[in-house]
Amino acid sequence: MSGLKLDPNKEYTLMLVKPDGYHRGLVGKILARIEQKGYAIVALRVAEATDDELQDHYEEHRGKHFFESMVDFMQSGKIVAAVIEGTRVVEGVRSLVGSTNPTEAAPGTIRGDFGRDYDSGHIQNLVHAADSTASAAREIKIWFPEISE
Ligand code: CDP
Ligand code: MG
């Protein structure tokens, strides 16, 4: 990964496969959907998320009722972080991912096809995807501090 530079004229997004996606062996299937859609994976990393990374990543949700349980869930196993490139990729990947609640997410989306509700007290929805180009730039720095712009 060292030396990777992002092209200021291209659009990128940040995706995470969450611990439920990793431990269910869905990393390949999830990344295949990104590639099938025509986007390019330009950086990829398997990690165990630290508290600091998650506090930064989910900054907008700090203090909400689900925050602590979500951070515990995000540290319950390995995650995969990916930087994805393509025209309108932020919007396109959000659309591939589907809505937050996996029971309600549309069939055909990653959350809709692979996810459901469990009585676990927290949402297990397999993936995260940045919701704007500004969020993507911020989140790429958190998970890939070695990438320069
Ligand atoms: O991930 P997305 O952008 O679709 O949803 P969000 O509203 O930004 O929430 C971020 C994440 O917080 C969700 O993907 C869930 O993992 C978690 N969450 C939760 O556990 N319980 C909620 N009531 C809302 C969100
Ligand atoms: Mg969000």
Side-chain angles (χ1 to χ4, degrees), residues 58 60-61 94 100 128-129 131:
Y58 281 124
E60 66 175 308
H61 297 302
R94 286 286 287 190
T100 306
H128 162 84
D131 62 7

Side-chain angles (χ1 to χ4, degrees), residues 20 23 66 68-70 72-73 76 102 116-125:
D20 55 333
H23 81 68
F66 59 83
E68 297 305 329
S69 127
M70 177 183 57
D72 284 351
F73 163 59
S76 65
R116 65 173 173 94
D117 275 280
Y118 297 88
D119 280 328
S120 55
H122 56 265
I123 293 179
Q124 298 181 55
N125 58 8

